[in-house]
């Protein structure tokens, strides 16, 4: 077994934490934001997808339950749709808000296992969640279309960000 | 400008020229194969092209184990599964695809099923996720358009859900592509025009979409030059084999280009028009290309303007004017083709009804190609383009 360097372990920990934040944010945003509700309204109940890193994680899984998205925890939970980054280096730009998902795909950073149309839908949902996670100066750089949030959307974003760390503490054990 | 990161791959051996088809059995030998499953469609058989293929096997030591000629105009998951079963049942060791994009994509689907050891193509959906090396695969295109003979993509109709599914993988490339003008001479003028516009769309979208890179750019520009110089000749003088060979090469070059830089909103909408309204892919691309280019001028106007000289457009004015001139040159070509062979220039002429536009737009937003389009393509943006093209 190859020994892993401290640097590699730190990167993996960072990716793991950011994925936890993403999963938790998915739950929070789907509770409060109508755009995400509209986006997932056409998804069949129980649709599950995973986001992670090859070859063996970290990975998280999410599932549509009713009108919301539920974070299932670490692992792919047998999701039929998996969006997997080829390695940690490939995952970091997207997860840390240094590049948009379109740039990640243009750079061949990720593979899709499963229905490509459903991957496009999951990606759109992820872009909506990103808009409630990252500050506007980052969103202006990583989104194709410059965001123009309303006052209400800004207020919801503040609420989501304020509650994110306590929520992560609760979802951490899943 | 060099992108921060790019990948480029084209592992296909290309054989181009008059009588190139004669090398087919030899190429099978190079691939250690001798029992071919030839996949075609009724049009290929009716045009006598299959007989040409059968003749080259004479005295070669290789044989045609079976011919599957029931490929429909839109390849489907069930047909691909059937082809895979024939291949396995008859212990074939090589696929030979003779036909247009539908035949080639059917073989790609069947090859996935055989190589991955499954019985259902739907289990293999995804992008860049196949693991096993494909069976020997030789492509003999009979239309000059899809470029499928050199691409890592297959578009296959899902019979149950009535959508076009995109598969991409480095394992989808054929091993050999044989371009022989004699195999494209029988394509009728309207199909020649539509498939040629498909090739032009590949090249143009490849040139301005997000995965573009210096290598794919060079292939795209070469393809556009060949299309502009030869497409109208192929349509008006169908037995001009020099023009036919040039167009076959144009489609191939465009295919190499877009396989490495992907396509954008035009293809997303064309796939959706095909899935929802059964509009032939080349026809939809021909109609939508100028509108799709225009919708991207705000984001990549300078890049579209670069295409002006190779499209034969007016190159005066500022960048935005030159970009619109490039679009105008594409529109002028489509109009010329409408005059000489009746190629539709609106979705209405292609049989699309206005009440279908919402469904087309909705389907298009879930197409993988929208990811690589420079402008954001949401439902409203897709619908706006469709309404203009209607």
């Amino acid at each position: 077994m190859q020994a892993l360097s401290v640097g590699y372990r730190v990167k993996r920990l960072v990716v793991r934490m950011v994925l936890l934040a993403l999963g938790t944010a998915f739950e929070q945003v789907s509770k409060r934001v109508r755009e995400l509700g509209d986006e997932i309204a056409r998804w069949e109940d129980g649709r599950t997808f995973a986001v992670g890193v090859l070859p063996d994680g970290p990975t998280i899984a999410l599932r549509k339950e009713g009108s919301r998205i539920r974070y299932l925890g670490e692992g792919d939970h047998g999701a039929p749709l998996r969006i997997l980054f080829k390695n940690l280096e490939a995952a970091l730009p997207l997860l840390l808000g240094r590049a948009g998902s379109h740039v990640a795909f243009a750079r061949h950073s990720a593979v899709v296992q499963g229905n490509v149309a459903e991957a496009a839908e999951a990606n759109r949902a992820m872009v909506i969640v990103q808009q409630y996670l990252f500050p506007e100066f980052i969103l202006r750089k990583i989104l194709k279309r410059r965001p123009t949030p309303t006052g209400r959307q800004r207020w919801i974003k503040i609420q989501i960000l304020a509650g994110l760390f306590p929520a992560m503490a609760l979802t951490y054990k899943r | 400008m060099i992108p921060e990161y790019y990948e480029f791959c084209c592992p296909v051996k290309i054989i181009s020229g008059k009588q190139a088809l004669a090398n087919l059995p030899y190429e099978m030998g190079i691939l250690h194969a001798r029992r071919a499953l030839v996949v075609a469609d009724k049009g290929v058989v009716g045009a006598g092209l299959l007989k040409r293929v059968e003749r080259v096997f004479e005295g070669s030591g290789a044989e045609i184990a079976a011919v599957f000629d029931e490929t429909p105009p839109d390849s489907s998951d069930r047909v691909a599964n059937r082809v895979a079963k024939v291949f396995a049942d008859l212990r074939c060791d090589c696929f030979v695809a003779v036909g247009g994009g539908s035949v080639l994509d059917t073989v790609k689907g069947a090859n996935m099923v055989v190589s991955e050891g499954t019985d259902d193509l739907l289990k293999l959906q995804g992008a860049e996720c196949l693991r096993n090396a494909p069976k020997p695969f030789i492509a003999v295109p009979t239309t000059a358009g899809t470029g499928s003979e050199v691409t890592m993509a297959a578009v296959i109709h899902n019979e149950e859900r009535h959508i076009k599914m995109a598969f991409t993988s480095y394992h989808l490339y054929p091993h050999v592509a044989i371009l022989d003008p004699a195999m494209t001479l029988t394509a009728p003028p309207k199909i020649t025009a539509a498939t040629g516009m498909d090739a032009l769309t590949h090249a143009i979208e490849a040139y301005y979409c997000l995965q573009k890179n210096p290598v794919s750019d060079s292939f795209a520009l070469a393809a556009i030059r060949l299309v502009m110089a030869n497409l109208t000749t192929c349509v008006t003088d169908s037995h001009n084999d020099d023009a036919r060979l040039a167009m076959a090469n144009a489609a191939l070059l465009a295919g190499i280009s877009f396989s490495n830089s992907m396509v954008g909103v035009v293809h997303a909408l064309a796939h959706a028009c095909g899935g929802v309204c059964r509009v032939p892919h080349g026809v939809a691309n021909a109609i939508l290309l100028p509108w799709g280019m225009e919708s991207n001028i705000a984001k990549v106007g300078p890049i579209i303007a670069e295409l002006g000289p190779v499209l034969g457009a007016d190159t005066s004015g500022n960048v935005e004017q030159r970009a619109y001139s490039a679009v105008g040159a594409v529109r002028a070509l489509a109009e010329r083709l409408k005059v000489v062979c009746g190629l539709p220039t609106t979705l209405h002429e292609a049989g699309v009804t206005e009440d279908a536009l919402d469904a087309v737009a909705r389907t298009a937003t879930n197409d993988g190609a929208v990811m690589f389009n420079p402008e954001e393509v949401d439902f409203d943006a897709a619908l706006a383009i469709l309404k203009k093209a209607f």
Side-chain angles (χ1 to χ4, degrees):
Chain A
M1 185 90 172
Q2 191 184 355
L4 299 174
S5 68
V6 173
Y8 183 89
R9 285 166 196 265
V10 169
K11 269 184 209 161
R12 196 167 64 177
L13 181 66
V14 168
V15 170
R16 198 172 158 212
M17 287 299 114
V18 177
L19 284 175
L20 172 65
L22 180 69
T24 308
F26 246 109
E27 273 197 5
Q28 300 299 313
V29 175
S30 76
K31 277 182 199 167
R32 293 187 168 96
V33 176
R34 207 181 63 197
E35 305 147 74
L36 184 56
D38 292 345
E39 183 59 48
I40 65 172
R42 284 176 299 277
W43 297 15
E44 69 283 4
D45 207 34
R47 182 188 291 187
T48 308
F49 67 98
V51 181
V53 182
L54 289 168
D56 55 3
T59 299
I60 59 164
L62 300 131
R63 182 163 66 212
K64 185 195 175 192
E65 291 182 357
S67 59
R68 293 180 182 177
I69 297 287
R70 178 172 158 76
Y71 168 59
L72 299 179
E74 285 195 283
D76 69 15
H77 291 252
L81 171 65
R82 293 180 291 277
I83 300 169
L84 300 172
F85 293 94
K86 291 178 178 173
N87 50 59
L88 291 172
E89 294 293 347
L92 284 170
L94 177 70
L95 295 178
L96 296 181
R98 296 204 304 262
S101 55
H102 58 283
V103 173
F105 279 102
R107 291 180 185 169
H108 302 262
S109 299
V111 302
V112 172
Q113 296 173 346
N115 185 313
V116 174
E118 288 180 4
E121 290 176 329
N123 179 64
R124 275 206 305 275
M126 201 146 39
V127 169
I128 293 171
V129 173
Q130 277 183 325
Q131 292 182 43
Y132 290 87
L133 269 182
F134 294 127
E136 276 174 45
F137 75 91
I138 286 182
L139 294 174
R140 279 199 289 272
K141 279 196 303 186
I142 66 172
L143 298 182
K144 283 184 184 177
R145 187 180 290 161
R146 192 188 175 97
T148 50
T150 62
R152 185 174 173 278
Q153 286 169 325
R154 285 204 173 97
W155 173 236
I156 292 173
K157 184 170 180 170
I158 290 167
Q159 289 176 309
I160 287 170
L161 289 174
L164 188 63
F165 284 104
M168 282 170 67
L170 293 173
T171 54
Y172 181 72
K173 287 178 185 163
R174 283 183 195 164
Chain B
M1 200 163 74
I2 305 295
E4 278 185 44
Y5 178 93
Y6 74 90
E7 296 182 4
F8 186 93
C9 178
C10 181
V12 185
K13 178 174 181 180
I14 296 158
I15 300 174
S16 166
K18 295 166 188 173
Q19 307 298 332
L21 185 66
N23 287 327
L24 172 53
Y26 174 81
E27 293 301 327
M28 281 178 62
I30 298 282
L31 296 167
H32 305 290
R34 57 175 303 278
R35 280 174 63 79
L37 172 60
V38 176
V39 181
D41 58 31
K42 296 294 183 198
V44 167
V45 176
L49 298 176
L50 203 57
K51 284 199 165 54
R52 288 177 184 271
V53 176
E54 287 165 353
R55 275 202 292 272
V56 302
F57 275 82
E58 195 177 351
S60 69
E63 62 177 330
I64 297 176
V67 173
F68 182 97
D69 62 2
E70 295 169 35
T71 311
D74 273 325
S75 54
S76 78
D77 53 333
R78 290 177 193 163
V79 175
N81 291 340
R82 278 175 59 202
V83 172
K85 188 167 185 317
V86 172
F87 187 92
D89 288 350
L90 298 178
R91 297 194 309 280
C92 300
D93 55 15
C94 177
F95 286 102
V96 175
V98 183
S102 172
V103 171
L104 269 58
D105 285 1
T106 295
V107 169
K108 287 180 179 179
N111 206 351
M112 279 188 263
V113 172
V114 171
S115 307
E116 298 289 322
T118 181
D119 58 356
D120 187 0
L121 183 62
L122 295 181
K123 293 176 185 166
L124 302 172
Q125 292 182 80
E128 299 190 27
C129 66
L130 300 180
R131 286 276 163 257
N132 297 334
K135 299 292 179 192
F137 173 16
I138 298 176
V140 185
T142 60
T143 59
T146 69
S148 188
E149 65 275 14
V150 284
T151 70
M152 59 182 285
V155 179
I156 294 176
H157 186 67
N158 183 325
E159 287 195 33
E160 197 177 316
R161 296 179 59 194
H162 300 292
I163 56 166
K164 293 212 168 189
M165 303 179 296
F167 296 81
T168 61
S169 168
Y170 290 106
H171 292 307
L172 289 182
Y173 283 108
H175 294 90
V176 181
I178 297 178
L179 307 185
D180 188 325
M183 299 301 283
T184 64
L185 289 177
T186 56
K190 204 165 167 181
I191 289 180
T192 301
T195 53
M197 288 301 286
D198 186 23
L200 184 66
T201 308
H202 291 155
I204 289 177
E205 286 208 290
Y207 194 79
Y208 69 69
C209 280
L210 296 178
Q211 220 171 54
K212 78 192 246 82
N213 60 70
V215 192
S216 68
D217 283 356
S218 64
F219 282 92
L221 293 173
I224 295 169
R225 282 192 193 96
L226 285 172
V227 172
M228 298 308 289
N230 294 283
L231 178 55
T232 311
T233 307
C234 278
V235 173
T236 55
D237 178 12
S238 65
H239 281 77
N240 183 328
D241 52 8
D242 289 330
R244 289 285 192 183
L245 186 60
M247 274 308 297
N249 275 271
L252 175 136
L253 293 164
I256 295 172
S257 181
F258 94 83
S259 188
N260 286 281
S261 64
M262 300 308 286
V263 282
V265 67
V266 179
H267 268 77
L269 291 168
H271 291 154
C273 284
V276 176
C277 305
R278 313 302 284 175
V279 180
H281 183 61
V283 172
N285 271 337
I287 295 165
L288 293 161
L289 178 58
W291 302 109
M293 290 171 74
E294 267 187 16
S295 74
N296 279 295
I297 286 179
K299 268 276 169 69
V300 288
I303 295 172
I304 292 174
E306 287 170 11
L307 294 173
V310 281
L311 286 165
D314 179 5
T315 53
S316 60
N318 62 29
V319 167
E320 191 181 347
Q321 288 166 333
R322 294 202 304 274
Y324 277 102
S325 294
V327 176
V330 171
R331 213 164 252 143
L333 175 62
E335 289 293 341
R336 278 201 300 279
L337 294 171
K338 181 177 187 175
V339 170
V340 295
C341 72
L343 188 72
T345 52
T346 67
L347 292 175
H348 179 65
E349 288 169 7
V352 177
T353 54
E354 198 164 7
D355 58 358
L357 297 183
D358 276 13
V360 174
R362 182 81 57 205
T363 305
T365 55
N366 289 340
D367 191 288
V370 300
M371 184 79 77
F372 302 97
N373 192 68
E375 273 287 0
E376 184 70 67
V377 183
D378 56 16
F379 174 78
D380 291 337
L383 189 61
I385 295 171
L386 289 170
K387 284 184 173 169
K388 285 178 186 169
F390 185 74

